[in-house]
Amino acid sequence: MCGIIGYTGTQEASPFLLAGLKRLEYRGYDSAGIGVLNKEINIVRAQGPICELEKTLVKNTPDGSCGIAHTRWATHGVPSEANAHPHRDCSGDIAIIHNGIIENHLVLRRALTLRGHVFKSQTDSEVISHLLEETIADTDSLQDAFEQLLGQLTGAYGIVAMIKSSPGTLFVARMGSPIVLGRRDGDRFVCSDATAMADWVDDVIYLDDGERALLQPNNEPIIWTKESENISKQHHTISWDTSVASKKRYAHFMLKEMMEQPKVVEDTMRGRLIAQKGIAHFGGLEDVRERLREIDRLIIVACGTAYYAGCVGEYMLEHYAGIPVEVELASEFRYRHPVINRHTAVLAITQSGETADTLAAIREAKTQGALTLGIVNVPGSTIARETDAGIYTRAGSEIGVASTKAFITQVTALAMLTLFFGRDRNLEETEAIKIAKELELIPDKIESILKLRPQIKALADKYQWMQNAFFLGRTYQAPIAYEGALKLKEISLIHAEGYSAGELKHGPLALIDERFPSIVICPRDEVYEKTLSNIAEIKARKGPVIAITDIGNTDIVELVDDVIHIPSTHEMLSPLLTAIPTQLFAYEMSLLQGYDPDKPRNLAKSVTVE
Ligand code: M6R
């Protein structure tokens, strides 16, 4: 949520800042700006995506070797040039960029206004530059002034400030919003996301909450805590595949990421799954293996798509590993006073590893003595670092705001976690081997479903008039119904609801008519016949039905309007296949509605505010 980048070094700052913003654009795209210090602070900003800023920069690129840049996802104040960052103070000698929310901004703004400050934006962030103006006037040292500023802020922030009287210096602070420092030779970088500066740095330092830093070319960063203790932090070398951050030959990141799914499922399994024995190993869980044997309850916390992966996990883990599981929306978890003890493990599922709600849930669980675990995609992210142990999903960078390949790898990891827990509990070896061997076949089966794209595009064409849709499924398919509905509404802006098919008759059926299609996910599983009855109930009310079912299921053809046939698999693994047509359908529908599926309206990747 909001991308920030800063550079100070020996080269021109603007090209780094602009290239960095392009890579950060998935974090917000309603406006953007850069500020460069070269005797004076020059700021260029534009409303809209980064390409709008780029057009303005062609005419007027600020020179200088120290600068900051920001791409915004609006919280306070409409998307506009005036609300775009960087924000200045009254004198124009200070510029700041901010990711997060300053919760006490109204009180601060009122007080600053009374003291004569003139605000130019509606944002919460602008109080930072004006406060810094005051603390600098009252203090001899800029570092102390920065510290005094931070002492007055409540809320979440990643801040980078630039001050005219200190050329070449960037003042950085983190509280609740990710900040990573990077270096190569004499050049110094700061960014909200390590991957955006991956090409330019040799190693990185992750700042933790409450830490501040001062960056200058050629020097080690000065880092201190909010208790004013100077600290030195470890540099981390990370091997990044920067090619994953480009669209390659695909029209959209979302399409590329869907097409990568066979490969990333293989990556998730590599070196972990031993199919012949029906077991899974996780290096990241070894240290807590003994403690995991004592766990009698697992709570999964996550948001959005990751939450639906957790719902699939609940079915898998209870059914085959016999471990009691609850899945909680991370945004609710810590406010509902959950009962937790030492025998509870709390598992966060998150692509970014930075989602504020999920992080808060994990922190709450920790304070109550739970073992905390993570299924995380981004290495080195805050949740990966703050959980006691975990599993990386190895999906690579996911840039499309609509999560696809991350979801599939989360479900793959959960399937292996089921084997991991199950073999320590009551899962029979023969059943475990059956599951593991089927899991090995999943990448090829996903590949064959991806080839159905032309058929699914034709279906999207046929139904492009629809304004509402139900996604329905039972047991393992219920979470896929929720996820399919989320995908469709997120990127095509068509109203869609996901329901357990059995729930329809308890209310939602009232909406069904010939203009209200249902996508029913009904592989031939334990509840297939029951789902057929639900289809009959819809058809009796003239509702169009698209069924997603197994190849070879010809009986269903005459019961529904359209069928997508996909390969069969073990019931527990079927969500890994049934999710794929729903992703493709949402993608094609988004294009038909004239939207950019990579940049859904009002949304951003990495939701780092509560
Ligand atoms: O990074 P996370 O997995 O923690 O993100 C959680 C949700 O914000 C995310 O899955 C969101 O629902 C997706 N954009 C949906 O496609």
Side-chain angles (χ1 to χ4, degrees):
M1 212 138 251
C2 297
I4 62 182
I5 182 158
Y7 167 83
T8 180
T10 51
Q11 307 176 57
E12 279 298 308
S14 291
F16 285 121
L17 299 176
L18 182 60
L21 284 182
K22 285 182 183 167
R23 292 175 192 176
L24 288 168
E25 192 170 16
Y26 68 95
R27 295 184 75 104
Y29 31 82
D30 66 49
S31 58
I34 75 170
V36 178
L37 173 55
N38 187 4
K39 295 199 183 93
E40 299 297 327
I41 295 176
N42 295 306
I43 289 179
V44 180
R45 305 183 298 188
Q47 186 181 339
I50 309 297
C51 57
E52 296 303 322
L53 176 69
E54 194 170 16
K55 282 183 211 155
T56 319
L57 284 171
V58 169
K59 294 172 236 147
N60 170 25
T61 305
D63 296 329
S65 56
C66 177
I68 56 181
H70 185 276
T71 180
R72 179 168 184 254
W73 181 83
T75 58
H76 296 67
V78 296
S80 67
E81 189 194 331
N83 287 334
H85 299 217
H87 292 292
R88 295 177 189 267
D89 67 327
C90 296
S91 68
D93 294 345
I94 296 167
I96 66 98
I97 50 176
H98 166 231
N99 175 19
I101 293 178
I102 304 301
E103 287 167 3
N104 58 340
H105 75 106
L106 280 178
V107 181
L108 293 171
R109 189 180 180 113
R110 236 173 267 134
L112 284 159
T113 308
L114 283 175
R115 297 199 290 270
H117 291 264
V118 178
F119 281 77
K120 301 204 174 64
S121 78
Q122 305 158 316
T123 65
D124 55 322
S125 310
E126 196 185 341
V127 296
I128 300 169
S129 46
H130 292 281
L131 275 178
L132 188 54
E133 182 181 8
E134 288 196 346
T135 57
I136 288 174
D138 292 346
T139 324
D140 292 336
S141 132
L142 291 180
Q143 195 174 327
D144 289 349
F146 189 57
E147 191 52 49
Q148 282 179 24
L149 148 79
L150 299 173
Q152 298 180 60
L153 303 179
T154 309
Y157 51 77
I159 295 173
V160 188
M162 212 164 53
I163 303 166
K164 182 178 150 184
S165 58
S166 185
T169 308
L170 295 177
F171 297 80
V172 183
R174 171 187 167 143
M175 180 61 79
S177 297
I179 288 280
V180 192
L181 312 179
R183 65 172 179 184
R184 176 171 293 164
D185 303 327
D187 294 335
R188 299 290 174 263
F189 295 84
V190 51
C191 199
S192 49
D193 182 336
T195 50
M197 55 182 182
D199 284 344
W200 310 318
V201 301
D202 295 327
D203 50 35
V204 297
I205 292 175
Y206 296 104
L207 285 197
D208 287 312
D209 280 351
E211 291 177 353
R212 301 77 157 97
L214 211 141
L215 286 189
Q216 284 170 330
N218 299 310
N219 295 335
E220 264 298 287
I222 298 169
I223 304 177
W224 70 100
T225 64
K226 66 177 187 315
E227 290 77 29
S228 299
E229 186 194 339
N230 280 350
I231 52 171
S232 61
K233 298 206 64 165
Q234 202 190 338
H235 291 267
H236 295 266
T237 313
I238 300 177
S239 49
W240 285 286
D241 176 5
T242 48
S243 67
V244 290
S246 91
K247 277 191 269 195
K248 297 190 181 155
R249 64 196 158 89
Y250 295 100
H252 298 99
F253 279 110
M254 184 183 174
L255 181 60
K256 172 180 167 261
E257 288 158 7
M258 287 189 292
M259 295 301 162
E260 283 171 354
Q261 293 181 113
K263 179 185 174 295
V264 294
V265 169
E266 271 172 8
D267 291 344
T268 310
M269 294 189 296
R270 183 163 304 116
R272 292 166 166 173
L273 182 71
I274 305 168
Q276 300 77 350
K277 294 188 176 165
I279 55 176
H281 281 301
F282 295 103
L285 297 184
E286 274 314 308
D287 288 352
V288 296
R289 182 113 208 194
E290 277 315 308
R291 189 139 176 226
L292 283 174
R293 291 199 171 106
E294 291 160 21
I295 291 303
D296 57 19
R297 178 169 166 240
L298 181 69
I299 302 179
I300 297 176
V301 289
C303 300
T305 291
Y307 171 79
Y308 298 137
C311 295
V312 176
E314 180 181 28
Y315 281 97
M316 292 173 164
L317 286 154
E318 291 209 329
H319 189 170
Y320 290 98
I323 181 164
V325 180
E326 292 147 52
V327 194
E328 299 253 3
L329 288 168
S331 52
E332 289 296 315
F333 181 74
R334 84 171 154 150
Y335 296 111
R336 68 163 197 83
H337 310 290
V339 179
I340 295 172
N341 62 36
R342 268 198 54 78
H343 299 291
T344 309
V346 177
L347 167 66
I349 304 180
T350 168
Q351 187 286 125
S352 60
E354 301 293 351
T355 300
D357 290 319
T358 311
L359 177 59
I362 278 296
R363 287 179 177 166
E364 172 67 26
K366 244 187 180 176
T367 56
Q368 296 203 34
L371 174 70
T372 56
L373 307 171
I375 292 184
V376 180
N377 191 38
V378 177
S381 56
T382 309
I383 294 175
R385 287 182 290 123
E386 291 202 10
T387 40
D388 296 313
I391 302 169
Y392 280 123
T393 47
R394 304 177 182 162
S397 285
E398 189 179 64
I399 306 287
V401 170
S403 186
T404 53
K405 64 173 179 171
F407 174 77
I408 292 296
T409 57
Q410 287 159 355
V411 176
T412 306
L414 285 161
M416 290 193 291
L417 195 64
T418 302
L419 294 176
F420 177 88
F421 275 122
R423 293 308 302 283
D424 267 357
R425 291 162 196 247
N426 54 3
L427 178 58
E428 296 284 340
E429 186 180 16
T430 42
E431 185 65 37
I433 292 175
K434 207 162 114 195
I435 294 169
K437 288 196 165 166
E438 270 299 322
L439 191 51
E440 282 194 315
L441 303 177
I442 291 292
D444 284 347
K445 293 185 178 179
I446 294 179
E447 191 81 62
S448 71
I449 301 172
L450 290 168
K451 292 201 176 104
L452 299 179
R453 188 178 163 209
Q455 184 204 339
I456 292 170
K457 180 178 177 337
L459 271 181
D461 268 330
K462 178 174 169 186
Y463 288 94
Q464 66 171 299
W465 48 264
M466 74 190 198
Q467 291 179 339
N468 298 288
F470 280 137
F471 283 73
L472 306 169
R474 301 182 82 124
T475 65
Y476 286 96
Q477 309 312 325
I480 300 305
Y482 310 148
E483 168 59 8
L486 174 62
K487 230 46 345 143
L488 188 68
K489 63 187 144 198
E490 184 178 22
I491 59 172
S492 72
L493 309 194
I494 290 172
H495 172 241
E497 295 298 334
Y499 275 101
S500 159
E503 268 299 292
L504 211 59
K505 56 188 176 294
H506 297 291
L509 193 60
L511 291 168
I512 290 287
D513 64 16
E514 60 279 6
R515 302 288 296 167
F516 203 123
S518 300
I519 291 106
V520 186
I521 306 154
C522 50
R524 282 195 202 258
D525 55 13
E526 235 187 317
V527 288
Y528 175 67
E529 303 296 335
K530 305 219 175 293
T531 315
L532 281 191
S533 304
N534 301 136
I535 289 178
E537 289 152 15
I538 298 169
K539 288 311 302 171
R541 282 140 189 107
K542 299 194 172 63
V545 171
I546 303 172
I548 300 175
T549 190
D550 310 75
I551 292 172
N553 181 356
T554 45
D555 298 349
I556 203 168
V557 173
E558 53 204 56
L559 303 180
V560 300
D561 299 82
D562 293 283
V563 186
I564 302 171
H565 282 110
I566 61 170
S568 305
T569 185
H570 189 285
E571 172 182 42
M572 183 188 113
L573 305 175
S574 56
L576 290 166
L577 303 184
T578 53
I580 310 293
T582 67
Q583 298 170 346
L584 287 168
F585 186 76
Y587 175 77
E588 296 298 346
M589 196 57 103
S590 169
L591 298 185
L592 287 167
Q593 306 292 323
Y595 298 119
D596 177 349
D598 284 345
K599 298 195 187 100
R601 185 175 77 182
N602 302 340
L603 300 180
K605 198 94 178 155
S606 278
V607 185
T608 53
V609 294
E610 267 201 73

